[in-house]
Amino acid sequence: MLFSKPLQGLSLGLTLATLAAGVHGNARSTDNLQSREQDIVTWDDHSLFVHGERLMVFSAEFHPFRLPVPSLWPDILQKIKAAGYNCVSIYIDWHLLEAKRGDFRADGIFALEPFFEAAKKAGLYVLPRPGPYINAEVSGGGFPGWLTRVPGALRTGSEAFMNATDHYTSEIGKIIADAQITNGGPVILFQVENEYQHALDPFPMPEYGYWEGVVEQYRRSGIVVPSINNEAHMYGYITAHTPASVDIYGHDGYPLGFDCENPQQWPEDGLPTDWLEKNNRIAPDTPYTIPEFQGGGFQHWGQSGFEDCALLLNMEFERVLYKNNYAVGATIFNIYMTFGGTNWGNLGHAEGFTSYDYGAQITEERQVWREKYSEVKLQANFFHVSPAYLAADRFNSSLQYTNNGDITVTPATTDTTKFYITRHTQYDSVESVPYRLTVKTTDHGDIEVPQLGGDLILNRRDTKIHVSDYPVGDEHVIYSSAEVFTWKKYDDKTVLVVYGGPGEHHEMAVENRGNGFNVLQGEQDVKVKKADDGYTIISWNISDDVEDRKVVRVNDNFYIYMLNRNEAYNFWVPPTGAGTDYGTSDIILKAGYLLRTAQRDGKTLHLVGDVNATTPIEIIGGAPPKLEKLTFNGRPLHFQQTNLGVVTATVDFKEPKIKLPNLNKLKWKKIDSLPEISRKYDDSDWVDADLEESPNDSAPILTPVSLRAGDYGFHTGSVLFRGHFTANGKESVLNITTQGGQAFGSSVWLDSTFLGSWVGEVEVDIGTVVLELPKLKKGTKHVFTVVIDHMGLHGNYVIGEDTLKIPRGIIEYTLAGHEDDDITWKVQGNLGGEDYRDKTRGPLNEGGMYIERQGYHQPYPPSRKWKRGSPEKGLSKPGIAFYTTTFNLDIPRGYDVPLALEFDVAPRGSSVYRVQLFVNGYQFGKFVPHIGPQSRFPIPEGILNHHGENTLGITLWAMEEGGAKLDGGLRWDVSMVTETGFGEIEMAPAPEWEPREGAH
Ligand code: IPT
């Protein structure tokens, strides 16, 4: 069992490895708690400490397995770091690592060590969340398919389940243990299980034995950093004080839900208002921890798509809902997702389609143009320079701080610094509300702000963090209504950057330490006045002009930049890129689209970033005095430097010429992918479907033998059944129920004759068709061929419901005029089943279609003798065809050119067929036009070779009489092009086709 015990008499080595300007373990450090066997990561009721320094864990969720190009992981990590995060949280998907029981493989694109290294290099701590159960909208919620055959309820302490998890937890545990901060790695925390909270009678919730067992498994493998949990609702089932415990209690929150279809509408009562009170009750002595807070939304087949989620969960949502979490004192805070990525290769759950963009801050195509990315950058940077936040006490929200009941303020206070988190009383208000704020100050008593006339204004769906008694190096800000982006103290000056939205009025007061003031920019809109007790008051309006900025100098060398928020978006506090540094640098600059790193080297400054337009650079702090050389992505820039050290320059951007082959005009080859319906086809090597009882104990089978694909080891892509019988001449109608997960489809043939399809419906998992047979002659032999689209396994959210075990396959059938049990069945899925063939692309990438079993979706299939034929021409009758072609790309180097393959078909339209897209052997698209919504499939560089030859493969499954074709074919869609300093991208390994033994 796990106990947290008080830390005694430890000398805490203070290192640089924490948040810049972090407060050293102050008053509370002697009460720190530590988990056993290490004293590097400790905590108290307010925050975590690393090496004795308080740390705001501001974390981004990113699933490396959703971007199968390891050389791109650093790109995402740099973008996360550039936004000001200091931590990245990863789920680990058991299904991908132990698809065959006992055979744990975490190598190649699935290896975690390179990820941990990349995170450390980027200056990000890591929070691994290995499950065993993760949910995450992945197939089975991360549970491998073979768990469907493990008896009894899953996620319980049963011997069968615990034995099943042993190998995975010990193997993954060792990998995580090696990457812990205690061993020099980036891992500072780890999460046990996930949302372990719902159980059906008679299963206990919580089952302490189970919890203890999982914790023990991880501890046994050497994990010593503090453990956290993630409750979906704040029931407090597992806390630091329950019989089976966790070091730090945490809960998640998705307050705006997932109805992205009406993105303007926020749910009534969407604002959590009881969290502080609940957390005080449940977890009074651990830091307020939110291991998952909504960063976007998931989408199901047939829903409206991720751009709508990006609108619902936009920058306004971040302002109101994230700041509400800061109001309750969240200091371990992870946003799910910051980069969603792709459900390539069937890794998604039954409900989801290929994209997992999530409407997140970083788009599926790795771009950072969504305003929500910029907004979170403003928030994250604030915490880097506001250590008092971590020590502040929390209070309930109240109306007493303002003169307007439409405005609610939640204070967070230390003995000195105070924060006033100020929101609309009706949280989703779209009004612009004027108010005055009363702040408390140590030396000047209560002050009603603004003092120089006018009102503060809270515009639609916004929340502000106002401050008082806020230290800025040696300067003292008595109060500021404008929000702080960052500040730095240099040898010769102190720079503070604050911002406000267009149309707002702001006021700040600064203690006097030196001489006078000047308004250096924007004089006409700034009022500066000495207060009666001597301090300086600055008041200003913010216009709609993006470039609107005021700069005021006070106290000789204190420079205050007052920016329009849209201008603040262009500012960065980049890491230096010089080795591991979990904090930020002291460089503040304006640099447009993306600034990755800024490295000083004597009198030279090297900037690395991405631009999408000709971009002005302005370094307002941190450039070497007497700068001699400035480079951007290695190119020297002309620059000017003022005597205050400010550097200005311009990075030119030229849109490159991008030539892309016309996909419809390529030479396509075609092969039939349903040879099973030909008379000659021999399935004697297929697996016999002959189990009279199902090893899946969820429910008794309704068929004479089990026709559940999972019982025979097939869990992904598509599955095929063949039923052989000898006719008696009386057969008339086949009534058949298949099940494949949401929006699935199935088709049935008798010999070579198409009988019919279940084409699929939104939100429908299971379908019955009644199919008329042609007249059969007595004594003749026949075979049904049934193809079923496998959409992934259900998650296993509720213990005892065991939804993982909902089978895929033929659930029920009757053949009128014939004994049902007089049919002999064979089954086939991906070649090898759990003993899958393509160890490089993993266990889920290929399904059971003929060409997949043969590996023809891989580069350079043996197509020389195949016929010409393109998917645009398609099939004239029901069936499955495979089309393949090769093409070269020669994309200019030094640019990030995100390419997507787009079908020219109205989503959710009337065409009925199913398509899989393979790029160099990786399945990067499952397209179901009549269900939708996705018809555009981004293919990351590294899967696509931007500088060489590529193989494209398409399976086209025509489900209806008349066949199917890709009307309009397939075309490229190019997103925003940037010049990038990221560097070369290494291709993911893409083994070529080789003859496969046993493929038939
Ligand atoms: C929460 C899960 O923990 C996470 O894995 C993911 O599924 C997320 O939801 C939604 O994307 S579950 C919460 C919505 C109850």
Side-chain angles (χ1 to χ4, degrees), residues 698-892:
S698 58
I701 47 172
L702 305 171
T703 43
V705 290
S706 166
L707 299 176
R708 296 172 173 175
D711 290 0
Y712 305 96
F714 303 116
H715 309 289
T716 185
S718 48
V719 288
L720 287 88
F721 290 88
R722 302 196 88 220
H724 298 261
F725 64 97
T726 305
N728 59 29
K730 296 192 205 111
E731 292 83 359
S732 58
V733 167
L734 175 71
N735 184 317
I736 182 167
T737 301
T738 53
Q739 178 161 289
Q742 267 196 23
F744 91 108
S746 63
S747 297
V748 184
W749 282 262
L750 175 73
D751 307 323
S752 305
T753 306
F754 176 67
L755 296 183
S757 291
W758 171 263
V759 298
E761 275 177 32
V762 169
E763 279 181 43
V764 178
D765 259 28
I766 187 165
T768 302
V769 283
V770 178
L771 307 167
E772 226 166 286
L773 268 58
K775 179 95 189 98
L776 303 182
K777 222 161 123 202
K778 188 173 173 189
T780 51
K781 291 198 161 149
H782 300 278
V783 54
F784 290 117
T785 298
V786 183
V787 185
I788 304 172
D789 205 359
H790 189 313
M791 312 303 276
L793 294 168
H794 283 287
N796 206 77
Y797 198 66
V798 179
I799 287 124
E801 228 174 48
D802 285 322
T803 41
L804 178 83
K805 292 182 177 175
I806 295 175
R808 307 283 178 251
I810 299 173
I811 302 304
E812 231 182 324
Y813 71 86
T814 52
L815 175 56
H818 195 100
E819 288 297 319
D820 298 335
D821 59 3
D822 190 31
I823 301 179
T824 314
W825 289 93
K826 294 271 196 177
V827 57
Q828 191 59 272
N830 67 302
L831 189 66
E834 289 161 16
D835 211 356
Y836 57 100
R837 288 297 170 91
D838 187 347
K839 299 291 192 258
T840 304
R841 299 180 186 87
L844 299 179
N845 184 60
E846 57 189 54
M849 289 180 184
Y850 170 75
I851 69 95
E852 294 174 279
R853 300 188 324 252
Q854 295 291 343
Y856 293 163
H857 57 288
Q858 298 179 330
Y860 311 115
S863 60
R864 221 160 41 87
K865 294 198 182 132
W866 299 358
K867 294 215 178 72
R868 297 282 292 267
S870 84
E872 216 186 343
K873 301 235 167 59
L875 291 164
S876 56
K877 53 182 195 194
I880 304 176
F882 178 65
Y883 304 88
T884 183
T885 187
T886 57
F887 59 87
N888 276 296
L889 291 178
D890 182 14
I891 305 290

Side-chain angles (χ1 to χ4, degrees), residues 592-606:
Y593 177 70
L594 173 67
L595 209 277
R596 294 169 186 268
T597 57
Q599 203 169 341
R600 271 183 304 241
D601 175 8
K603 299 226 162 293
T604 304
L605 182 62
H606 300 287

Side-chain angles (χ1 to χ4, degrees), residues 91 129 134-137 194-195 230 232 252 254 258 292 298 336 356 358 797:
Y91 269 144
R129 307 197 298 142
I134 61 171
N135 212 55
E137 291 77 68
N194 189 57
E195 298 184 317
N230 179 30
D252 65 19
Y254 290 82
F258 303 96
E292 274 179 32
F298 58 69
Y336 188 103
Y356 197 66
Y358 217 78
Y797 198 66

Side-chain angles (χ1 to χ4, degrees), residues 329-514:
T331 60
I332 299 177
F333 181 54
N334 178 49
I335 292 170
Y336 188 103
M337 302 294 300
T338 292
F339 169 76
T342 308
N343 290 329
W344 64 278
N346 303 306
L347 70 77
H349 68 160
E351 288 84 2
F353 44 94
T354 305
S355 175
Y356 197 66
D357 175 88
Y358 217 78
Q361 288 152 14
I362 305 176
T363 69
E364 182 180 4
E365 295 179 286
R366 297 178 290 106
Q367 302 205 313
V368 298
W369 49 261
R370 286 184 180 145
E371 189 173 341
K372 59 191 294 191
Y373 175 85
S374 302
E375 171 60 32
V376 90
K377 178 175 64 170
L378 300 182
Q379 297 183 21
N381 273 287
F382 171 68
F383 292 113
H384 278 287
V385 296
S386 307
Y389 167 84
L390 296 172
D393 290 320
R394 307 295 161 166
F395 301 95
N396 289 327
S397 58
S398 125
L399 298 177
Q400 73 182 22
Y401 294 87
T402 77
N403 64 335
N404 187 336
D406 292 338
I407 297 289
T408 294
V409 176
T410 313
T413 68
T414 66
D415 293 346
T416 50
T417 306
K418 292 139 203 102
F419 303 90
Y420 306 88
I421 296 124
T422 302
R423 63 169 166 87
H424 290 280
T425 302
Q426 183 202 320
Y427 91 111
D428 63 339
S429 166
V430 293
E431 304 300 318
S432 290
V433 179
Y435 64 103
R436 302 170 68 77
L437 176 81
T438 302
V439 299
K440 300 199 175 308
T441 73
T442 310
D443 295 336
H444 307 281
D446 289 4
I447 303 175
E448 201 187 34
V449 180
Q451 303 190 77
L452 301 188
D455 280 310
L456 304 178
I457 292 168
L458 192 66
N459 285 319
R460 52 169 285 136
R461 292 183 176 172
D462 198 359
T463 293
K464 303 278 182 203
I465 305 181
H466 305 304
V467 295
S468 68
D469 284 331
Y470 183 88
V472 175
D474 299 332
E475 306 290 343
H476 187 81
V477 171
I478 299 165
Y479 62 82
S480 171
S481 71
E483 292 182 278
V484 172
F485 169 54
T486 191
W487 60 264
K488 304 287 167 192
K489 179 181 175 314
Y490 305 100
D491 289 346
D492 56 343
K493 64 178 178 183
T494 299
V495 173
L496 167 66
V497 183
V498 299
Y499 63 93
E504 292 173 5
H505 176 69
H506 284 288
E507 195 173 282
M508 178 190 292
V510 179
E511 203 66 75
N512 260 7
R513 305 175 56 245

Side-chain angles (χ1 to χ4, degrees), residues 871-980:
E872 216 186 343
K873 301 235 167 59
L875 291 164
S876 56
K877 53 182 195 194
I880 304 176
F882 178 65
Y883 304 88
T884 183
T885 187
T886 57
F887 59 87
N888 276 296
L889 291 178
D890 182 14
I891 305 290
R893 289 184 194 267
Y895 290 93
D896 191 4
V897 180
L899 297 175
L901 291 169
E902 188 168 20
F903 293 91
D904 193 13
V905 165
R908 301 190 273 186
S910 57
S911 314
V912 176
Y913 53 82
R914 285 167 191 264
V915 166
Q916 296 183 101
L917 264 181
F918 290 95
V919 179
N920 295 322
Y922 286 86
Q923 194 256 70
F924 251 85
K926 188 151 168 164
F927 174 50
V928 188
H930 53 293
I931 306 270
Q934 194 178 1
S935 59
R936 178 182 181 279
F937 296 85
I939 318 290
E941 184 176 353
I943 292 301
L944 206 50
N945 185 351
H946 280 202
H947 312 289
E949 196 163 39
N950 292 279
T951 304
L952 181 61
I954 287 181
T955 58
L956 172 62
W957 173 359
M959 306 191 81
E960 291 188 324
E961 295 293 356
K965 59 181 195 278
L966 301 186
D967 271 323
L970 198 56
R971 60 168 176 238
W972 295 107
D973 187 61
V974 187
S975 319
M976 191 181 74
V977 172
T978 55
E979 188 216 299
T980 178

